[in-house]
Amino acid sequence: MTHALDGKKVAILATDGVERRELVEPREALEQAGARTELLSLQTGSIDARDHDLEPAGTYTVDRLVSEAKGDEFDALVVPGGTVNADKLRSDAKAVAFVHDFVNSGRPVAVICHGPWTLIEAGVAKGRTLTSYASLRTDLRNAGATVLDEEVVVDGNLITSRSPEDIPAFNKALIDALAQQPQAQAQQ
């Protein structure tokens, strides 16, 4: 276990329909590197994960509502995919505002698979170079983004990946970016 992220706190924004691997694997990698994670959601209690948008894949306890969180409490933000999860997040004004403000803060924001729908809704995709699940690429282009078909794309503070197969590269890029980031003011 490395401790490169000791003292860092990462928000993970997800709701029902989240792709299990895209929630669990980045969370485990962050925690193994020493970061603390907090699962933010649209509802209290727990959220239901899926595998490949189809199969039930367990439930995960929500730490706090996104509406109760402030971006400056966190050093980074992770937005996992899953078609249903991403669609619900982009439809929630508080989740969209949280993502918008976090991207504009300059701190790392890591988004995978269908998660970039929330970037589009937040109005932060225009002029950025991103990747996503193949079916979202036209949406990203229409929102003004340059789209690449690569396992991980880093554009400033935005880190994007295509699918669960890209999680190792996604995790590495996130941990590298977070290790270089000064600790959030609320944590110091």
Side-chain angles (χ1 to χ4, degrees):
M1 179 195 295
T2 175
H3 295 281
L5 303 183
D6 280 353
K8 303 285 178 125
K9 186 175 177 185
V10 180
I12 301 172
L13 178 59
T15 193
D16 288 329
V18 66
E19 180 68 30
R20 178 190 54 82
R21 288 185 57 203
E22 295 170 6
L23 168 66
V24 171
E25 292 179 30
R27 187 178 210 178
E28 288 174 350
L30 288 163
E31 290 175 355
Q32 287 175 359
R36 291 179 298 131
T37 62
E38 189 169 319
L39 180 57
L40 306 179
S41 192
L42 310 179
Q43 77 250 9
T44 59
S46 63
I47 59 172
D48 295 320
R50 311 291 279 176
D51 280 338
H52 312 290
D53 281 334
L54 303 171
E55 325 248 333
T59 60
Y60 295 88
T61 302
V62 172
D63 294 307
R64 190 162 32 141
L65 293 171
V66 67
S67 61
E68 297 172 350
K70 295 188 180 357
D72 64 1
E73 299 175 61
F74 302 97
D75 299 290
L77 171 63
V78 175
V79 182
T83 308
V84 173
N85 171 65
D87 194 47
K88 287 181 178 185
L89 290 178
R90 73 178 175 160
S91 300
D92 184 271
K94 290 181 171 108
V96 170
F98 188 82
V99 170
H100 175 271
D101 293 348
F102 215 101
V103 171
N104 287 334
S105 78
R107 288 176 305 227
V109 177
V111 187
I112 189 167
C113 197
H114 285 79
W117 267 340
T118 309
L119 298 176
I120 294 168
E121 195 64 33
V124 295
K126 185 175 184 176
R128 303 302 290 263
T129 300
L130 308 168
T131 194
S132 70
Y133 195 74
S135 65
L136 273 69
R137 294 185 189 144
T138 298
D139 296 342
L140 285 169
R141 284 186 196 95
N142 289 342
T146 299
V147 181
L148 303 178
D149 183 9
E150 296 177 5
E151 66 180 353
V152 67
V153 173
V154 178
D155 180 355
N157 65 321
L158 281 178
I159 301 159
T160 53
S161 283
R162 303 171 298 194
S163 72
E165 288 71 32
D166 299 332
I167 290 174
F170 179 76
N171 289 347
K172 182 180 182 327
L174 172 58
I175 290 169
D176 289 349
L178 189 51
Q180 297 173 26
Q181 204 50 27
Q183 200 164 309
Q185 291 297 321
Q187 296 298 307
Q188 295 181 0

